[in-house]
Amino acid sequence: MSDGKNEFRVELFVKFLYPGIILKGDAYTYSGEKVWAGNTPFTEDAIKKLIERGIQKVFYTRARVVNDKGTGNPMVSEEILKKAVDISHELEQAVTSKAIIPEKGVNEIVDGFINNISTSEGTVLNLMELKEYDDYTYTHSINVCLLSILFAKKLNYNEKGLKIIGTGALLHDIGKMMISKEILNKPLGLTREEFEIMKKHPVFGYEIIRSQSNFGTLIQKVVLLHHEKHIGKGYPFGLRGEQIGEIAQIVSMADVFDAVTSERPYKPARPYWYALSQIKKDSGIAFAPRLARAFVDDMPKYLTENEIFTKGCYVLLNSGEVGEVIDYRFPQSLKPVVNIYINSKKEVVRYPIPVNLEFDDSRNIENVLEDDGIIKKLGEIKDSFAKRKEKTPYVFPDDIPKPEHEASGMSIAEAAREAAPIPEAAMDAAKKAEPDKDLFIENESDLK
Ligand SMILES: [Fe+2]
Ligand SMILES: [Fe+2]
């Protein structure tokens, strides 16, 4: 229960618990009573008892994710981050009471971020960690704002462009404030109707900004188009490629990165390598290829000073080969040197084959192998090389875990379609509530 440096306290509303949810640490009430063991699925009965006792929140302590966020030399001051949370709170109050949104406060935060964020090397963008699930919309919006400004700086946007992108990013999910928390935080799959409501949030957001602020059309555009996808399967319009423009795509990428790497009541935080490889795979599907490439190539060194792939970790390549990360050009490289131990036919090789992924476009890391049993077997194989028993008649088992989307048997393109179908009724409703989409197309000149 300590709040030590390498531990992180996660608070969780009891109403978000569901049978089968597994927390990464023992769950406690505020009076310090242990109510459930970590890494053990919650039972319906246990949840009922907490509700009957009137307990609203539990918390658990878990280890910080190693190999991710760095610790030294943060770009953004704590003070301005705290202010940003306060402004987010004011924003929520303004939205729910239909008042004018606090533009001055929003401007101050975005300006502060623009001044703090630097693309000189050696500093790390200190993204916020979630303290309470209820605050997710705040921390998420702040993180998307930080990431979008950094990325836009890398893409050489001028001051005006940075302000538009930063403001749009901070407000991108403001429409979610119109949607009930039950739907927003629903642990398991949304029903079709609930999903249709969720998909309205860009339109709700656009409408709020249009009617409750003086922020201009380009900021409205970012909010309205942040769920459009490069291949035209996004919402609300199903715009394609260049029609979406760049500023909304920047925010869209930052959005995916933060969502994947954040812990939610229904899913663990994913490591940075996973989010970056998702963006890479979504290149040409959700994102314009040149933007996806720029994000994956340019952003990691500003996101952590730690290794993205730790030396000594075992990885599965897209070729089916399995090996160990042994070196890299720089710690945040997504293309380290891998010593191949198992070939694509799942046979142990005679000698380890070092492959520098930087010079091999055909090979990519697909997954980091974390199963204890597999790590142990690979350790044995490695030892066998060291002892020069290279003729070990060892055929590797069939159970090397694939990344999730592949385990589901879906191609990325299918997954993208699956994630964002656009039923006629939703399109009609969205069109009725919106201005002509042409207002927002090809309107991004003089921002760089
Ligand atoms: Fe969104
Ligand atoms: Fe978002």
Side-chain angles (χ1 to χ4, degrees):
M1 276 178 70
S2 88
D3 258 338
K5 221 178 171 186
N6 295 317
E7 290 189 327
F8 174 54
R9 183 165 138 152
V10 183
E11 300 180 358
L12 181 56
F13 279 98
V14 169
K15 67 180 174 187
F16 297 146
L17 293 173
Y18 56 92
I21 190 172
I22 296 172
L23 306 182
K24 286 183 181 162
D26 297 342
Y28 291 89
T29 64
Y30 277 82
S31 53
E33 178 196 349
K34 180 175 160 183
V35 289
W36 200 251
N39 301 310
T40 315
F42 258 90
T43 60
E44 202 173 341
D45 208 39
I47 299 167
K48 256 192 205 156
K49 273 186 190 144
L50 290 171
I51 295 169
E52 278 164 15
R53 289 175 59 194
I55 294 169
Q56 294 197 339
K57 271 185 183 179
V58 291
F59 69 86
Y60 64 98
T61 320
R62 67 157 169 78
R64 278 183 192 280
V65 182
V66 283
N67 184 28
D68 262 357
K69 298 161 181 133
T71 48
N73 222 355
M75 283 187 201
V76 183
S77 72
E78 280 298 318
E79 194 193 339
I80 189 168
L81 287 175
K82 269 197 199 113
K83 237 194 223 168
V85 173
D86 292 343
I87 291 296
S88 304
H89 192 63
E90 280 180 39
L91 262 174
E92 179 157 24
Q93 284 175 331
V95 171
T96 44
S97 62
K98 300 223 179 315
I100 296 294
I101 64 181
E103 279 173 54
K104 195 167 159 264
V106 169
N107 285 332
E108 262 175 45
I109 298 307
V110 173
D111 287 344
F113 286 170
I114 292 173
N115 288 334
N116 277 191
I117 291 170
S118 143
T119 51
S120 58
E121 296 194 14
T123 53
V124 169
L125 186 65
N126 43 325
L127 295 173
M128 294 191 76
E129 282 200 47
L130 188 62
K131 293 290 186 299
E132 286 189 37
Y133 282 108
D134 211 25
D135 282 342
Y136 175 70
T137 310
Y138 298 176
T139 49
H140 171 64
S141 297
I142 293 167
N143 284 346
V144 172
C145 181
L146 295 168
L147 287 161
S148 299
I149 291 172
L150 176 60
F151 190 36
K153 280 199 172 190
K154 283 305 287 182
L155 295 170
N156 292 322
Y157 273 83
N158 62 26
E159 195 67 24
K160 181 180 171 191
L162 294 174
K163 271 218 82 162
I164 286 167
I165 292 165
T167 311
L170 192 66
L171 303 176
H172 80 284
D173 274 340
I174 200 171
K176 283 192 180 171
M177 291 174 181
M178 306 296 284
I179 297 173
S180 76
K181 287 234 158 73
E182 279 66 36
I183 293 182
L184 291 181
N185 290 306
K186 199 168 174 187
L188 297 171
L190 296 173
T191 66
R192 196 173 178 80
E193 271 175 349
E194 287 167 337
F195 190 45
E196 290 312 324
I197 295 172
M198 260 306 251
K199 279 168 51 181
K200 293 253 167 68
H201 78 268
V203 180
F204 292 158
Y206 155 78
E207 189 51 36
I208 291 163
I209 293 170
R210 199 188 57 78
S211 59
Q212 289 170 242
S213 84
N214 292 309
F215 289 129
T217 49
L218 286 175
I219 292 174
Q220 295 166 16
K221 174 181 183 173
V222 170
V223 175
L224 188 56
L225 304 187
H226 79 272
H227 283 290
E228 295 287 353
K229 291 186 192 298
H230 186 73
I231 43 162
K233 296 285 180 185
Y235 58 89
F237 297 118
L239 297 178
R240 281 168 183 276
E242 293 304 310
Q243 290 182 308
I244 305 167
E246 199 168 283
I247 56 177
Q249 282 260 294
I250 289 171
V251 174
S252 187
M253 258 177 261
D255 187 24
V256 167
F257 184 85
D258 186 65
V260 171
T261 55
S262 294
E263 184 162 347
R264 303 287 291 124
Y266 45 82
K267 73 160 194 65
R270 294 288 187 172
Y272 283 5
W273 72 263
Y274 187 86
L276 293 163
S277 61
Q278 289 296 103
I279 289 172
K280 197 164 156 192
K281 283 179 178 164
D282 258 351
S283 168
I285 298 165
F287 311 120
R290 76 193 156 78
L291 292 176
R293 195 177 312 120
F295 193 99
V296 170
D297 287 348
D298 294 343
M299 292 289 275
K301 61 177 174 291
Y302 302 110
L303 298 174
T304 175
E305 75 260 24
N306 298 332
E307 301 159 305
I308 295 264
F309 292 111
T310 323
K311 277 185 204 173
C313 76
Y314 294 112
V315 292
L316 169 69
L317 303 185
N318 58 337
S319 53
E321 294 159 312
V322 173
E324 179 185 358
V325 172
I326 55 164
D327 204 2
Y328 41 66
R329 192 159 56 85
F330 58 102
Q332 301 82 4
S333 174
L334 286 173
K335 295 168 173 291
V337 181
V338 175
N339 235 0
I340 306 280
Y341 296 162
I342 293 168
N343 65 22
S344 54
K345 293 180 197 146
K346 295 194 171 160
E347 297 157 350
V348 175
V349 295
R350 285 176 68 84
Y351 301 97
I353 307 161
V355 177
N356 188 341
L357 298 184
E358 288 212 37
F359 303 118
D360 189 338
D361 280 342
S362 67
R363 285 178 168 104
N364 277 314
I365 293 179
E366 284 278 317
N367 207 0
V368 174
L369 303 173
E370 282 165 339
D371 179 90
D372 288 345
I374 288 174
I375 289 174
K376 191 166 166 256
K377 284 174 195 164
L378 285 162
E380 287 165 13
I381 291 170
K382 186 180 167 183
D383 288 348
S384 74
F385 289 133
K387 290 174 196 156
R388 302 202 174 273
K389 288 180 187 167
E390 68 277 1
K391 282 179 187 165
T392 315
Y394 198 111
V395 175
F396 203 70
D398 241 3
D399 53 359
I400 298 167
K402 288 267 182 195
E404 255 168 37
H405 62 273
E406 283 191 13
S408 73
M410 240 190 247
S411 74
I412 294 283
E414 279 164 352
R417 275 195 290 278
E418 196 52 18
I422 314 171
E424 289 290 310
M427 277 298 279
D428 287 349
K431 273 178 188 154
K432 264 182 223 151
E434 283 156 22
D436 184 352
K437 66 176 183 294
D438 294 335
L439 271 180
F440 295 98
I441 297 174
E442 287 174 25
N443 194 8
E444 296 183 20
S445 53
D446 82 332
L447 300 183
K448 279 188 191 174

